[in-house]
Amino acid sequence: MPIYFNNAGQNVPITIESIGNNWNQVSVQRASGHPLYHWLQTENGTGEIWIENQTIVLTKGAGILIAPFVAHGYYPKTSDWQTNFVTFDGRLKNDFRKIIPSETFILAQNTSNFSYQVEIDHMIHLHKQEKNSVELSVACYRFLTMLSQGQKPVEEHALFKKYVTPGLQKMQANFQENLTIEQIAQELYISPQYFSRLFKKFVGQSPYQYLIDIRIRHAKELLVNQPDLPIQTIAIKVGFESVSQFIDVFKRKTQYTPKKFRQLY
């Protein structure tokens, strides 16, 4: 159960910082996460990952890539839990998020077309052949790219289904009401902070900003399709508390006042 370290991290775009296989995995707790992207995969037995307020079981062939500084822990569920692992380094380490879009973690599984375990073995082989730093860099890039392409659509993620989807539906159906993020989170039995964090992770913006965008979109439709409808009425119909707030937000989002926008169309 060897582990290998690489000191040439800044000499190539992407490389390994450490790597190993056939590792008799023990419990690990990282309250502050790891400073580099870190891959862990089960070779034998079963392990359990605690991350992002959920528990993930890694059976044989299943692996997880964890982003830097994401708190996590992992624990053997069976006494024979063996893993392979790799941490990624290199000159481009600060740009890895352009390859790996997830800000927290990615789950992956060996398939008939691609085995992450075989790739780990191959990278270990290249690392031991010290002259193959360029080939090792290419192998690391292929590994990260396959992880990125192998992601499930965000809509299939359990947390997205459980919390974000109902939140989206609530906002889309009730945008005209005096709706708050606290109300939505309460209906989902989670804190507003946790709901906001999940929402931004999956949707790419805060729930409040998403709600504002819905209101502005509907306001545009009313302004154009109902030219005789007073602006004050539109402001109320799409959920703004006052016409002044509506005009201010509308101008910030479109660069036009509602009246000017209506004139343009």
Side-chain angles (χ1 to χ4, degrees):
M1 41 179 273
I3 178 171
Y4 304 93
F5 292 94
N6 185 7
N7 296 322
Q10 302 306 314
N11 296 330
V12 289
I14 307 176
T15 190
I16 63 169
E17 184 266 344
S18 62
I19 192 168
N21 58 3
N22 304 316
W23 188 263
N24 295 325
Q25 188 63 59
V26 298
S27 298
V28 173
Q29 299 85 36
R30 295 191 177 107
S32 301
H34 191 283
L36 298 171
Y37 273 98
H38 176 68
W39 165 260
L40 183 75
Q41 182 181 26
T42 295
E43 294 184 355
N44 288 298
T46 305
E48 190 172 79
I49 310 295
W50 292 5
I51 187 170
E52 290 288 287
N53 294 312
Q54 60 181 302
T55 301
I56 299 167
V57 176
L58 291 188
T59 55
K60 186 174 182 178
I64 183 170
L65 181 75
I66 303 174
F69 305 110
V70 174
H72 64 273
Y74 35 91
Y75 313 87
K77 281 184 68 68
T78 61
S79 59
D80 61 340
W81 191 30
Q82 283 191 324
T83 66
N84 62 60
F85 58 88
V86 58
T87 52
F88 293 96
D89 201 356
R91 290 201 313 270
L92 299 181
K93 65 181 179 182
N94 294 328
D95 293 318
F96 285 177
R97 292 188 188 278
K98 297 177 181 178
I99 305 172
I100 304 296
S102 174
E103 295 183 359
T104 52
F105 66 90
I106 290 176
L107 298 174
Q109 178 83 38
N110 289 338
T111 68
S112 58
N113 297 321
F114 188 86
S115 170
Y116 296 98
Q117 184 172 339
V118 169
E119 287 297 305
I120 291 289
D121 295 343
H122 178 58
M123 286 192 282
I124 289 175
H125 170 75
L126 292 174
H127 171 70
K128 292 166 72 174
Q129 310 296 315
E130 296 181 359
K131 297 180 181 179
N132 289 338
S133 60
V134 174
E135 290 184 49
L136 178 59
S137 185
V138 172
C140 291
Y141 178 78
R142 180 172 63 246
F143 192 96
L144 292 173
T145 301
M146 291 302 295
L147 280 170
S148 177
Q149 293 177 345
Q151 289 188 91
K152 291 183 178 180
V154 67
E155 293 83 1
E156 296 182 12
H157 196 289
L159 290 176
F160 184 91
K161 288 182 177 180
K162 187 173 182 179
Y163 299 118
V164 179
T165 295
L168 289 169
Q169 293 171 343
K170 181 74 173 179
M171 285 186 274
Q172 290 163 359
N174 302 278
F175 66 89
Q176 71 277 20
E177 299 177 6
N178 185 22
L179 192 63
T180 67
I181 306 309
E182 288 75 16
Q183 290 171 341
I184 298 173
Q186 186 176 21
E187 291 183 12
L188 297 171
Y189 302 102
I190 57 176
S191 71
Q193 294 79 13
Y194 184 51
F195 175 68
S196 296
R197 190 163 67 248
L198 283 178
F199 196 97
K200 189 169 184 179
K201 167 187 171 183
F202 288 113
V203 181
Q205 61 182 153
S206 72
Y208 175 76
Q209 194 60 61
Y210 183 87
L211 180 60
I212 290 296
D213 286 348
I214 293 176
R215 289 170 172 167
I216 293 298
R217 184 173 72 250
H218 282 275
K220 288 179 178 178
E221 293 173 358
L222 290 173
L223 285 165
V224 174
N225 296 326
Q226 299 187 39
D228 295 328
L229 194 65
I231 289 174
Q232 183 176 5
T233 302
I234 292 175
I236 296 172
K237 286 178 72 71
V238 299
F240 286 96
E241 295 180 357
S242 67
V243 66
S244 59
Q245 182 197 28
F246 170 56
I247 293 172
D248 179 62
V249 173
F250 193 95
K251 189 173 183 180
R252 275 195 285 111
K253 299 292 289 186
T254 68
Q255 309 303 313
Y256 300 105
T257 64
K259 182 179 179 180
K260 182 65 176 178
F261 182 87
R262 173 176 269 170
Q263 292 172 347
L264 288 173
Y265 288 89

